[in-house]
Amino acid sequence: MRVALDGPGGQAGVVNPNPYARFLPEPWRSIAESVGPAATWWRWTPASRPDGPGPIDVHIARHAAPEAPIRVLLLHGAGGHSGLVWPLAAILASEGCEVLAPDLPLYGMTRVESPGRVRYSDWVELLVDLVTAETVDDPRPLVLAGASMGGMLAYETAHRVPTVAAVVATCLLDLAGDPEALRSAVRT
């Protein structure tokens, strides 16, 4: 189904089917192509840095399933967006999970007032606040799953929010042991 996206501020629309599903083998390809996300928006303002990026309209691709026994928050890696993880989200949705996949600031459809001021710490703070908001009125388990940098963000977020039920992470980005890699990956 193709429906135009509404703007930020909580409105939802259905986004186009995912082009990345074509890279999956059958039967997963057909499943991934058959479950499209609803586009939702969440307004977030970082509280920890007065010189931060300002208000952010976070795009969140969702498959709502209030009857699902579990929810999964999927996090893309650096340079990615929610569409890249949506084939997996669609498969999880077909298995009875509720799924959400945010576009981190600077990626996908998320809108940032001052993009040059976004830092890794803002992504962590955003995810802590998003997980808190998602779990405050919903007792179902919430699993964080992430690829690459998304895996590291999932791990770090779960460490800070005790309501996270589990973490599934691939290819953790860990620059702590390599100062040169850290300098090249971080904007100062």
Side-chain angles (χ1 to χ4, degrees), residues 127-154:
L127 291 170
V128 165
D129 289 350
L130 178 60
V131 168
T132 301
E134 288 288 328
T135 58
V136 72
D137 291 324
D138 193 332
R140 294 177 294 165
L142 179 64
V143 174
L144 304 186
S148 190
M149 182 193 70
M152 191 64 200
L153 286 165

mmCIF file of all heavy atoms in Angstrom, residues 127-154:
data_model
loop_
_atom_site.group_PDB
_atom_site.id
_atom_site.type_symbol
_atom_site.label_atom_id
_atom_site.label_comp_id
_atom_site.label_asym_id
_atom_site.label_seq_id
_atom_site.Cartn_x
_atom_site.Cartn_y
_atom_site.Cartn_z
ATOM 1 N N LEU A 127 17.602 7.519 22.748
ATOM 2 C CA LEU A 127 17.122 6.136 22.897
ATOM 3 C C LEU A 127 16.695 5.823 24.322
ATOM 4 O O LEU A 127 15.707 5.108 24.535
ATOM 5 C CB LEU A 127 18.185 5.154 22.410
ATOM 6 C CG LEU A 127 18.410 5.199 20.900
ATOM 7 C CD1 LEU A 127 19.642 4.388 20.514
ATOM 8 C CD2 LEU A 127 17.184 4.705 20.152
ATOM 9 N N VAL A 128 17.402 6.356 25.308
ATOM 10 C CA VAL A 128 16.981 6.173 26.702
ATOM 11 C C VAL A 128 15.587 6.767 26.896
ATOM 12 O O VAL A 128 14.700 6.133 27.478
ATOM 13 C CB VAL A 128 18.011 6.803 27.667
ATOM 14 C CG1 VAL A 128 17.438 6.946 29.079
ATOM 15 C CG2 VAL A 128 19.298 5.979 27.688
ATOM 16 N N ASP A 129 15.374 7.979 26.375
ATOM 17 C CA ASP A 129 14.066 8.619 26.508
ATOM 18 C C ASP A 129 12.993 7.879 25.709
ATOM 19 O O ASP A 129 11.849 7.747 26.170
ATOM 20 C CB ASP A 129 14.133 10.076 26.064
ATOM 21 C CG ASP A 129 14.916 10.963 27.029
ATOM 22 O OD1 ASP A 129 15.256 10.489 28.137
ATOM 23 O OD2 ASP A 129 15.196 12.120 26.662
ATOM 24 N N LEU A 130 13.339 7.387 24.519
ATOM 25 C CA LEU A 130 12.366 6.651 23.705
ATOM 26 C C LEU A 130 11.967 5.343 24.386
ATOM 27 O O LEU A 130 10.776 5.026 24.485
ATOM 28 C CB LEU A 130 12.929 6.368 22.311
ATOM 29 C CG LEU A 130 12.023 5.551 21.377
ATOM 30 C CD1 LEU A 130 10.689 6.248 21.134
ATOM 31 C CD2 LEU A 130 12.750 5.277 20.059
ATOM 32 N N VAL A 131 12.936 4.596 24.885
ATOM 33 C CA VAL A 131 12.622 3.341 25.577
ATOM 34 C C VAL A 131 11.790 3.617 26.820
ATOM 35 O O VAL A 131 10.818 2.913 27.098
ATOM 36 C CB VAL A 131 13.913 2.562 25.918
ATOM 37 C CG1 VAL A 131 13.627 1.421 26.884
ATOM 38 C CG2 VAL A 131 14.564 2.031 24.641
ATOM 39 N N THR A 132 12.127 4.660 27.552
ATOM 40 C CA THR A 132 11.356 5.026 28.742
ATOM 41 C C THR A 132 9.915 5.363 28.353
ATOM 42 O O THR A 132 8.965 4.887 28.984
ATOM 43 C CB THR A 132 12.024 6.205 29.474
ATOM 44 O OG1 THR A 132 13.345 5.813 29.851
ATOM 45 C CG2 THR A 132 11.230 6.609 30.700
ATOM 46 N N ALA A 133 9.752 6.157 27.310
ATOM 47 C CA ALA A 133 8.407 6.526 26.854
ATOM 48 C C ALA A 133 7.623 5.308 26.371
ATOM 49 O O ALA A 133 6.415 5.200 26.612
ATOM 50 C CB ALA A 133 8.495 7.558 25.728
ATOM 51 N N GLU A 134 8.301 4.383 25.709
ATOM 52 C CA GLU A 134 7.625 3.200 25.174
ATOM 53 C C GLU A 134 7.240 2.198 26.263
ATOM 54 O O GLU A 134 6.342 1.385 26.063
ATOM 55 C CB GLU A 134 8.516 2.504 24.137
ATOM 56 C CG GLU A 134 8.646 3.250 22.839
ATOM 57 C CD GLU A 134 7.388 3.210 21.995
ATOM 58 O OE1 GLU A 134 6.655 2.204 22.043
ATOM 59 O OE2 GLU A 134 7.129 4.190 21.284
ATOM 60 N N THR A 135 7.926 2.228 27.383
ATOM 61 C CA THR A 135 7.675 1.223 28.426
ATOM 62 C C THR A 135 6.880 1.746 29.614
ATOM 63 O O THR A 135 6.463 0.956 30.452
ATOM 64 C CB THR A 135 9.001 0.614 28.934
ATOM 65 O OG1 THR A 135 9.846 1.653 29.428
ATOM 66 C CG2 THR A 135 9.714 -0.147 27.833
ATOM 67 N N VAL A 136 6.675 3.061 29.699
ATOM 68 C CA VAL A 136 6.004 3.612 30.872
ATOM 69 C C VAL A 136 4.579 3.078 31.035
ATOM 70 O O VAL A 136 4.151 2.799 32.158
ATOM 71 C CB VAL A 136 6.054 5.162 30.868
ATOM 72 C CG1 VAL A 136 5.143 5.751 29.806
ATOM 73 C CG2 VAL A 136 5.711 5.713 32.230
ATOM 74 N N ASP A 137 3.850 2.910 29.942
ATOM 75 C CA ASP A 137 2.466 2.433 30.030
ATOM 76 C C ASP A 137 2.261 1.069 29.365
ATOM 77 O O ASP A 137 1.116 0.664 29.153
ATOM 78 C CB ASP A 137 1.514 3.448 29.374
ATOM 79 C CG ASP A 137 1.423 4.733 30.170
ATOM 80 O OD1 ASP A 137 1.469 4.671 31.415
ATOM 81 O OD2 ASP A 137 1.320 5.804 29.542
ATOM 82 N N ASP A 138 3.327 0.406 29.008
ATOM 83 C CA ASP A 138 3.216 -0.879 28.310
ATOM 84 C C ASP A 138 4.117 -1.898 28.986
ATOM 85 O O ASP A 138 5.340 -1.822 28.873
ATOM 86 C CB ASP A 138 3.607 -0.713 26.837
ATOM 87 C CG ASP A 138 3.228 -1.916 25.993
ATOM 88 O OD1 ASP A 138 3.162 -3.040 26.531
ATOM 89 O OD2 ASP A 138 3.005 -1.733 24.790
ATOM 90 N N PRO A 139 3.549 -2.851 29.721
ATOM 91 C CA PRO A 139 4.356 -3.798 30.489
ATOM 92 C C PRO A 139 4.992 -4.921 29.661
ATOM 93 O O PRO A 139 5.792 -5.695 30.183
ATOM 94 C CB PRO A 139 3.348 -4.383 31.479
ATOM 95 C CG PRO A 139 2.045 -4.323 30.744
ATOM 96 C CD PRO A 139 2.117 -3.060 29.922
ATOM 97 N N ARG A 140 4.656 -4.990 28.364
ATOM 98 C CA ARG A 140 5.227 -6.075 27.559
ATOM 99 C C ARG A 140 6.739 -5.940 27.468
ATOM 100 O O ARG A 140 7.276 -4.830 27.450
ATOM 101 C CB ARG A 140 4.632 -6.075 26.146
ATOM 102 C CG ARG A 140 3.159 -6.406 26.123
ATOM 103 C CD ARG A 140 2.606 -6.320 24.720
ATOM 104 N NE ARG A 140 2.662 -4.935 24.240
ATOM 105 C CZ ARG A 140 2.522 -4.575 22.974
ATOM 106 N NH1 ARG A 140 2.326 -5.489 22.043
ATOM 107 N NH2 ARG A 140 2.578 -3.309 22.629
ATOM 108 N N PRO A 141 7.451 -7.069 27.377
ATOM 109 C CA PRO A 141 8.908 -7.000 27.234
ATOM 110 C C PRO A 141 9.299 -6.235 25.968
ATOM 111 O O PRO A 141 8.678 -6.395 24.918
ATOM 112 C CB PRO A 141 9.333 -8.464 27.115
ATOM 113 C CG PRO A 141 8.180 -9.265 27.603
ATOM 114 C CD PRO A 141 6.946 -8.437 27.390
ATOM 115 N N LEU A 142 10.344 -5.411 26.096
ATOM 116 C CA LEU A 142 10.899 -4.678 24.962
ATOM 117 C C LEU A 142 12.336 -5.140 24.768
ATOM 118 O O LEU A 142 13.168 -5.005 25.661
ATOM 119 C CB LEU A 142 10.858 -3.169 25.208
ATOM 120 C CG LEU A 142 11.442 -2.298 24.105
ATOM 121 C CD1 LEU A 142 10.632 -2.438 22.808
ATOM 122 C CD2 LEU A 142 11.496 -0.838 24.533
ATOM 123 N N VAL A 143 12.607 -5.698 23.589
ATOM 124 C CA VAL A 143 13.942 -6.169 23.228
ATOM 125 C C VAL A 143 14.566 -5.126 22.319
ATOM 126 O O VAL A 143 13.927 -4.632 21.390
ATOM 127 C CB VAL A 143 13.858 -7.531 22.496
ATOM 128 C CG1 VAL A 143 15.228 -7.959 21.985
ATOM 129 C CG2 VAL A 143 13.259 -8.589 23.412
ATOM 130 N N LEU A 144 15.827 -4.788 22.575
ATOM 131 C CA LEU A 144 16.566 -3.885 21.692
ATOM 132 C C LEU A 144 17.470 -4.730 20.811
ATOM 133 O O LEU A 144 18.207 -5.583 21.303
ATOM 134 C CB LEU A 144 17.414 -2.901 22.492
ATOM 135 C CG LEU A 144 16.702 -2.034 23.525
ATOM 136 C CD1 LEU A 144 17.673 -1.025 24.124
ATOM 137 C CD2 LEU A 144 15.512 -1.323 22.916
ATOM 138 N N ALA A 145 17.415 -4.483 19.509
ATOM 139 C CA ALA A 145 18.262 -5.207 18.561
ATOM 140 C C ALA A 145 18.938 -4.186 17.665
ATOM 141 O O ALA A 145 18.297 -3.267 17.167
ATOM 142 C CB ALA A 145 17.429 -6.179 17.733
ATOM 143 N N GLY A 146 20.238 -4.354 17.475
ATOM 144 C CA GLY A 146 20.954 -3.379 16.660
ATOM 145 C C GLY A 146 22.078 -3.999 15.869
ATOM 146 O O GLY A 146 22.663 -5.004 16.259
ATOM 147 N N ALA A 147 22.362 -3.356 14.742
ATOM 148 C CA ALA A 147 23.449 -3.781 13.874
ATOM 149 C C ALA A 147 24.586 -2.768 13.950
ATOM 150 O O ALA A 147 24.353 -1.561 13.854
ATOM 151 C CB ALA A 147 22.949 -3.899 12.434
ATOM 152 N N SER A 148 25.786 -3.249 14.152
ATOM 153 C CA SER A 148 26.985 -2.423 14.183
ATOM 154 C C SER A 148 26.837 -1.333 15.246
ATOM 155 O O SER A 148 26.628 -1.645 16.414
ATOM 156 C CB SER A 148 27.244 -1.846 12.788
ATOM 157 O OG SER A 148 28.502 -1.228 12.739
ATOM 158 N N MET A 149 26.929 -0.061 14.848
ATOM 159 C CA MET A 149 26.777 1.014 15.818
ATOM 160 C C MET A 149 25.429 0.907 16.535
ATOM 161 O O MET A 149 25.316 1.220 17.715
ATOM 162 C CB MET A 149 26.902 2.369 15.142
ATOM 163 C CG MET A 149 26.808 3.530 16.098
ATOM 164 S SD MET A 149 26.573 5.095 15.273
ATOM 165 C CE MET A 149 24.913 4.936 14.659
ATOM 166 N N GLY A 150 24.394 0.455 15.827
ATOM 167 C CA GLY A 150 23.091 0.246 16.450
ATOM 168 C C GLY A 150 23.152 -0.790 17.561
ATOM 169 O O GLY A 150 22.443 -0.685 18.564
ATOM 170 N N GLY A 151 24.016 -1.797 17.401
ATOM 171 C CA GLY A 151 24.212 -2.794 18.450
ATOM 172 C C GLY A 151 24.846 -2.183 19.692
ATOM 173 O O GLY A 151 24.441 -2.473 20.818
ATOM 174 N N MET A 152 25.826 -1.324 19.472
ATOM 175 C CA MET A 152 26.463 -0.646 20.601
ATOM 176 C C MET A 152 25.477 0.275 21.299
ATOM 177 O O MET A 152 25.422 0.335 22.526
ATOM 178 C CB MET A 152 27.680 0.143 20.106
ATOM 179 C CG MET A 152 28.548 0.658 21.212
ATOM 180 S SD MET A 152 29.273 -0.711 22.116
ATOM 181 C CE MET A 152 29.704 0.103 23.631
ATOM 182 N N LEU A 153 24.651 0.982 20.518
ATOM 183 C CA LEU A 153 23.625 1.845 21.111
ATOM 184 C C LEU A 153 22.596 1.027 21.887
ATOM 185 O O LEU A 153 22.150 1.446 22.964
ATOM 186 C CB LEU A 153 22.943 2.665 20.021
ATOM 187 C CG LEU A 153 23.760 3.817 19.448
ATOM 188 C CD1 LEU A 153 23.138 4.321 18.147
ATOM 189 C CD2 LEU A 153 23.896 4.937 20.455
ATOM 190 N N ALA A 154 22.216 -0.127 21.363
ATOM 191 C CA ALA A 154 21.264 -0.993 22.068
ATOM 192 C C ALA A 154 21.850 -1.428 23.412
ATOM 193 O O ALA A 154 21.175 -1.385 24.447
ATOM 194 C CB ALA A 154 20.925 -2.214 21.207
#
